[in-house]
Amino acid sequence: MGFGDLKSAAGLRVLNDFLADKSYIEGYVPSQADIVVFEAIAAPPPADLFHALRWYNHIKSYEKQKASLPGVKKALGKYGPADVEDTTGAATDSKDDDDIDLFGSDDEEESEEAKKLREERLAQYESKKSKKPAVVAKSSILLDVKPWDDETDMAKLEECVRSIQADGLVWGSSKLVPVGYGIKKLQIQCVVEDDKVGTDMLEERITAFEDYVQSMDVAAFNKI
């Protein structure tokens, strides 16, 4: 398991492919897993590796909150595709945060080649950023909302769900799906902006309608 060598172009391509349908290294929220992988990268991914660059810039915004992110740091080789071996050679989980420069450094031990590569990538990124408007990362989520029993007013349940409003949240189509014993669940689609709305928030808001809702599950999660 791993990404190969994250300090190489090949390793960054593996990371980019891995993030093509994911917002984070693990789960649906930023975690220590993202910090471990982020700290193993020498410089921002090039602009053509869109998914890796989007993820890199998003995790970079958590610099001040990184210590409070959920999860426990593990070895770099514990993350990534199962069929790729980690060869980065950086055990970031055993280092203190103070020992790591998240944004590159001019340390005297840094080779001229690595320094030149980092500067070229930064220049390439800044040039690309200045020419294009910022891309808003969005996801399409399919939710299963289950009632308590067959006597639950499903029209009222759906009305409660759709009453939830938030910046970056748009409700879509819905349908009732038989579960068994006369019980039907509400299956409803929504589109969210990843930086503004997460599944944890949706679950908390939806299950707050406890007179109608027994539970909520994520049936499908896809990047747009």
Side-chain angles (χ1 to χ4, degrees):
M1 180 175 286
F3 296 100
D5 184 359
L6 283 173
K7 299 187 185 302
S8 72
L12 291 176
R13 282 195 295 272
V14 173
L15 175 64
N16 186 71
D17 292 343
F18 181 77
L19 292 168
D21 59 352
K22 300 176 179 64
S23 296
Y24 305 104
I25 300 300
E26 287 186 343
Y28 300 117
V29 297
S31 69
Q32 294 301 319
D34 295 285
I35 297 301
V36 169
V37 177
F38 181 90
E39 290 172 347
I41 299 175
D48 60 322
L49 299 182
F50 172 79
H51 303 296
L53 182 59
R54 165 187 54 77
W55 168 86
Y56 182 95
N57 290 328
H58 182 50
I59 300 305
K60 183 178 179 180
S61 69
Y62 285 91
E63 180 196 8
K64 295 181 180 179
Q65 300 104 311
K66 63 177 182 175
S68 63
L69 294 181
V72 177
K73 284 186 176 181
K74 296 183 287 189
L76 182 60
K78 298 294 185 180
Y79 307 110
D83 58 346
V84 179
E85 181 181 356
D86 171 50
T87 57
T88 305
T92 54
D93 58 310
S94 63
K95 296 181 179 180
D96 293 331
D97 290 339
D98 292 341
D99 295 333
I100 301 166
D101 181 357
L102 293 181
F103 310 101
S105 77
D106 291 326
D107 190 280
E108 60 186 9
E109 295 181 1
E110 182 179 19
S111 69
E112 288 300 320
E113 182 179 356
K115 190 181 299 183
K116 181 180 178 181
L117 176 62
R118 176 166 57 81
E119 291 172 352
E120 288 177 353
R121 286 183 177 173
L122 284 170
Q124 184 181 23
Y125 168 65
E126 291 298 333
S127 175
K128 191 80 172 180
K129 183 178 178 182
S130 65
K131 294 177 183 178
K132 281 192 172 184
V135 176
V136 178
K138 296 183 178 180
S139 298
S140 174
I141 306 175
L142 184 63
L143 302 175
D144 281 346
V145 185
K146 298 176 183 177
W148 288 104
D149 50 40
D150 59 344
E151 296 182 357
T152 300
D153 185 338
M154 296 303 293
K156 183 64 177 177
L157 184 150
E158 181 173 352
E159 180 184 331
C160 290
V161 172
R162 290 185 180 276
S163 72
I164 299 171
Q165 301 295 318
D167 185 24
L169 169 64
V170 178
W171 293 108
S173 60
S174 65
K175 64 180 179 179
L176 297 179
V177 179
V179 177
Y181 303 100
I183 301 174
K184 295 182 179 180
K185 66 183 177 181
L186 173 67
Q187 198 165 75
I188 186 168
Q189 190 93 18
C190 66
V191 174
V192 303
E193 293 184 24
D194 296 346
D195 291 345
K196 298 178 179 178
V197 179
T199 54
D200 288 344
M201 183 274 274
L202 290 173
E203 181 175 15
E204 180 180 349
R205 298 279 296 275
I206 290 174
T207 54
F209 297 108
E210 54 187 20
D211 289 342
Y212 301 96
V213 178
Q214 180 195 71
S215 64
M216 186 216 84
D217 296 308
V218 176
F221 187 102
N222 297 293
K223 299 295 299 178
I224 297 178

